[in-house]
Amino acid sequence: LHYPARRRDEEFVVPNGIQAIGDGAFERCSSLSSIQLPAGIKAIGYGAFYECNSLSSVELPDTLTAIGDMAFCRCSSLSDIKLPAGIKAIGDWAFEGCRSLRRMIIPKGVNEIGYGAFEDCDALTLNVKQGSYAQGYAEEKGIPYVLG
């Protein structure tokens, strides 16, 4: 899937049947504020939503297992996101520069969080499971977290 660069929609619903959001698919879509991803999406590619500055809401399907490098990098309006239970990997710089991101629930099954995944997310507090990989990552990187 690749979103046409000249579209100016504020909301977009990805059609059923799509299994992945490709690299750079929505890159720099400055007017896009909300996107709905259907069940069946398994991966979000490199820089898929890079610098979508108006993007504040994303519904991630339960089928999603991987968020690619820089997928939501510099989405400065993204404020709250819940990762689905089946997610396993969060790529390098995936949420870097998401300065409005306040809270993220990271499921216990996440076993890979890339370099700089939450760099410059100064308002972020992670919600993690005790003893999880995410808790260790948060402690190592000095990211505020709560146990949930």
Side-chain angles (χ1 to χ4, degrees), residues 101-117:
L101 193 58
R102 305 261 182 258
R103 183 175 85 106
M104 182 182 293
I105 297 169
I106 301 185
K108 189 167 181 106
V110 170
N111 56 27
E112 180 183 337
I113 300 175
Y115 182 82

Side-chain angles (χ1 to χ4, degrees), residues 128-143:
V128 301
K129 300 293 184 193
Q130 186 163 359
S132 67
Y133 178 87
Q135 181 184 6
Y137 181 89
E139 289 173 353
E140 178 184 329
K141 303 297 183 189
I143 300 170

Side-chain angles (χ1 to χ4, degrees), residues 32-35 52-58 75 77-81:
L32 190 65
S33 64
S34 175
I35 189 157
C52 290
N53 294 324
S54 297
L55 187 63
S56 61
S57 174
V58 180
C75 291
S77 296
L78 190 61
S79 60
D80 189 55
I81 192 165

Side-chain angles (χ1 to χ4, degrees), residues 26-111:
F26 293 87
E27 182 178 349
R28 293 187 175 108
C29 289
S30 59
S31 60
L32 190 65
S33 64
S34 175
I35 189 157
Q36 291 182 342
L37 305 177
I41 297 280
K42 296 177 182 164
I44 296 175
Y46 176 91
F49 297 96
Y50 178 78
E51 287 189 353
C52 290
N53 294 324
S54 297
L55 187 63
S56 61
S57 174
V58 180
E59 292 184 31
L60 301 176
D62 290 337
T63 53
L64 185 68
T65 59
I67 296 174
D69 295 350
M70 298 178 72
F72 294 95
C73 183
R74 299 184 186 166
C75 291
S76 57
S77 296
L78 190 61
S79 60
D80 189 55
I81 192 165
K82 181 184 175 196
L83 302 180
I87 193 100
K88 302 290 180 209
I90 300 170
D92 294 347
W93 310 103
F95 294 94
E96 185 269 330
C98 293
R99 297 184 183 273
S100 297
L101 193 58
R102 305 261 182 258
R103 183 175 85 106
M104 182 182 293
I105 297 169
I106 301 185
K108 189 167 181 106
V110 170
N111 56 27

